[in-house]
Amino acid sequence: MKSDVIVDTETFVRSTLDKDGTGHDWWHCVRVRNTAVKLAHEEGAEVRIVELSALLHDIADHKFHGGDKEVGPRIAKEFLEAQGVEREVVEHVANIIRHMSWSTSKEGNRAFDSLEMRIVQDADRLDAIGAIGIARCFAYSGHAGRPLYDPTTDGEYNTSALQHFQDKLFKIRDSLHTASARNIAQERHVYMKEYVARFHDEWGGIV
Ligand code: ADP
Ligand code: NI
């Protein structure tokens, strides 16, 4: 049976992110939670920390809060404290949310690390690849006002949805921490490669 804290966290996340149209919505959090809990069992991590962090990880993404990276950890912390969750758990979850994002980890920030963080990060990255990853990429790109593809800006960073595959999505497989996540990523990676090849074929009128 689910604990009260998990049920209350689900309700909180759902009410906050239900209307999101950028691919960082409630169901993204559910998928990341489900994958993260599975990875936690396989990798021997603390399931409760992983589950709470996965549910809360996008509660206030800095991209949508003027670049402020403290909003998400602070909201998660205040919420969990109000639920009476133990201090060490609250701190660990806040640290995971503070340090797990792609951009933060690319800055070479090694200020915090744990098996639980690696697992939530892997689960979040797995949701950015494969069939769902493709859908999220186009949803986000549309939200940001960028085109599907533009052959005149080929290779230029952040110029279209198709470019995002080169910029980030094709790099995800080799950035994962756990063997369990790498196993899942392999097929999704190949699927995306095939998809992009097909996209270019159709664009060129070949099929
Ligand atoms: P993180 O939260 O791990 O830092 P992002 O928020 O950048 O990762 O990515 C979340 C989702 O948004 C992913 O599915 C990703 O592909 C998509 N996304 C982020 N930036 C772009 C972009 N420039 N173009 C298209 N999709 C993007
Ligand atoms: Ni996410």
Side-chain angles (χ1 to χ4, degrees):
M1 207 184 83
K2 284 186 196 170
S3 77
D4 289 352
V5 173
I6 295 291
V7 173
D8 290 347
T9 306
E10 288 173 343
T11 306
F12 174 58
V13 174
R14 184 169 203 158
S15 64
T16 309
L17 298 177
D18 221 10
K19 296 280 180 288
D20 174 276
T22 70
H24 297 73
D25 55 84
W26 155 246
W27 291 110
H28 163 64
C29 299
V30 172
R31 293 190 303 271
V32 173
R33 184 269 300 274
N34 293 345
T35 305
V37 166
K38 178 170 134 57
L39 297 178
H41 284 296
E42 287 174 15
E43 300 284 333
E46 287 246 16
V47 175
R48 187 151 168 268
I49 305 256
V50 164
E51 185 163 16
L52 289 172
S53 306
L55 282 170
L56 288 162
H57 82 281
D58 271 336
I59 198 70
D61 190 300
H62 57 86
K63 282 193 291 308
F64 312 120
H65 290 81
D68 187 346
K69 294 190 175 172
E70 272 307 306
V71 184
R74 190 180 65 236
I75 291 177
K77 196 170 163 185
E78 285 168 3
F79 171 77
L80 293 173
E81 277 170 356
Q83 307 304 307
V85 173
E86 315 86 278
R87 210 165 63 87
E88 310 90 89
V89 173
V90 176
E91 286 302 328
H92 195 164
V93 171
N95 267 325
I96 290 175
I97 297 171
R98 186 175 292 116
H99 294 285
M100 66 176 274
S101 93
W102 179 265
S103 50
T104 306
S105 54
K106 289 292 123 177
E107 285 158 12
N109 190 337
R110 295 272 173 275
F112 182 79
D113 196 8
S114 70
L115 175 60
E116 287 73 20
M117 178 171 90
R118 289 171 173 234
I119 283 172
V120 181
Q121 200 168 45
D122 278 1
D124 192 29
R125 289 180 182 176
L126 283 173
D127 206 54
I129 61 174
I132 288 173
I134 293 170
R136 293 182 71 219
C137 174
F138 285 102
Y140 185 93
S141 213
H143 165 82
R146 287 191 277 268
L148 303 181
Y149 174 54
D150 182 350
T152 66
T153 57
D154 228 353
E156 290 173 31
Y157 183 73
N158 230 352
T159 46
S160 72
L162 252 269
Q163 184 58 37
H164 190 61
F165 287 82
Q166 311 295 336
D167 293 342
K168 175 173 168 184
L169 305 186
F170 289 151
K171 297 177 182 165
I172 286 181
R173 180 190 60 179
D174 297 331
S175 76
L176 297 169
H177 305 290
T178 63
S180 312
R182 279 194 294 273
N183 278 338
I184 300 171
Q186 177 56 23
E187 240 191 338
R188 296 188 187 188
H189 183 85
V190 171
Y191 181 80
M192 287 194 303
K193 285 271 177 188
E194 287 167 2
Y195 172 80
V196 168
R198 170 83 191 203
F199 186 102
H200 286 298
D201 285 349
E202 290 186 16
W203 190 278
I206 294 169
V207 287

